[in-house]
Amino acid sequence: MQVHTLFTLAANTFIVASANSIVVIDAGMPNQAGRIVKRIRALGYAPRDVRLILITHGHIDHAGSAAALKRLTGAPIAMHTADIPLVATANLKVPPGRTPAIDAVGRLIAKFGFVVPLETFEPDICLEDGQSLKGFGANARVLHTPGHTAGSVTIGFDNGALFVGDALLNLIRVSFPLVWEDADAARASARKIRGLKPRAIYTGHGRAFDAQALDDFVVR
Ligand SMILES: [Zn+2]
Ligand SMILES: [Zn+2]
């Protein structure tokens, strides 16, 4: 299994290639689908090799190009039911900030809305906790890790690679998300992620990190 990371304007998109199939984890901001497909071709694959477009949660920096990527690849979009309302409307919804300062910035973004509108969509597949993705050529399963949003999921591969979306960030160091719908749930999800004893943690924002960095954060 090979992980290719592409920065799609605000967040990371991951092209995970194993044998003859690809899953894309998060689709980036709007207008990024062409870039993602270009990278897929550069890696020696065809757009039709994409078996699944996995959306870790419904925020525009992760779901913004999902509909366009589906058009270009023919692959179904999968996400958790609880975040469907977020992608059913083009209006940006920013959850409360983790600190008052972050909250103020979030309110500004929401008020002035300089983010381009989301292309709305309905997922083809609704992900559930514990669901296997083997049918899509990925030796992975879904873990429901709510808190940042109600429908946030982590994709855990059998080899210990974990794709956590915004459940944990690594901007300067490993941290909780900047904004969250449910702080207690986010803390519980961080413990759940640590309990899996991952080998490598791929976050939506920042560089991938290892189990040691995760331990340092959770213990702190
Ligand atoms: Zn997010
Ligand atoms: Zn994000």
Side-chain angles (χ1 to χ4, degrees):
M1 167 189 142
Q2 284 187 314
V3 180
H4 305 277
T5 307
L6 184 62
F7 182 67
T8 40
L9 285 195
N12 294 320
T13 288
F14 301 101
I15 299 165
V16 183
S18 29
N20 295 320
S21 72
I22 285 179
V23 295
V24 175
I25 302 178
D26 285 337
M29 289 289 283
N31 303 314
Q32 296 298 302
R35 277 187 65 215
I36 296 169
V37 165
K38 200 174 162 189
R39 175 67 76 88
I40 287 167
R41 287 189 192 282
L43 292 168
Y45 293 88
R48 67 171 182 279
D49 292 328
V50 178
R51 301 279 303 278
L52 192 61
I53 301 163
L54 287 157
I55 304 299
T56 60
H57 63 292
H59 286 159
I60 192 169
D61 49 332
H62 302 257
S65 287
L69 192 60
K70 178 184 170 180
R71 277 196 298 277
L72 294 181
T73 62
I77 302 172
M79 65 183 286
H80 194 277
T81 324
D83 271 11
I84 290 177
L86 295 178
V87 298
T89 167
N91 296 330
L92 182 69
K93 285 194 199 71
V94 183
R98 177 158 47 85
T99 67
I102 296 168
D103 202 46
V105 173
R107 281 169 197 275
L108 274 178
I109 292 173
K111 185 172 178 187
F112 293 103
F114 52 78
V115 177
V116 287
L118 171 83
E119 182 182 349
T120 60
F121 63 91
E122 274 182 38
D124 304 288
I125 297 160
C126 290
L127 299 176
E128 287 175 26
D129 191 56
Q131 187 173 338
S132 169
L133 298 174
K134 284 201 168 63
F136 300 97
N139 289 324
R141 61 180 60 248
V142 176
L143 189 75
H144 187 206
T145 46
H148 177 61
T149 64
S152 288
V153 295
T154 286
I155 308 299
F157 281 76
D158 293 352
N159 68 359
L162 234 55
F163 294 82
V164 300
D166 288 2
L168 292 166
L169 309 185
N170 188 23
L171 294 170
I172 301 163
R173 64 171 76 92
V174 180
S175 78
F176 281 120
L178 300 180
V179 298
W180 49 21
E181 291 179 359
D182 183 333
D184 290 339
R187 291 190 188 96
S189 289
R191 288 193 294 272
K192 198 170 169 181
I193 287 166
R194 186 185 181 218
L196 293 177
K197 304 201 185 312
R199 182 182 55 79
I201 300 101
Y202 295 86
T203 168
H205 300 276
R207 295 163 66 97
F209 52 95
D210 60 13
Q212 185 62 55
L214 178 62
D215 274 359
D216 291 348
F217 165 68
V218 175
V219 170
R220 190 152 32 91

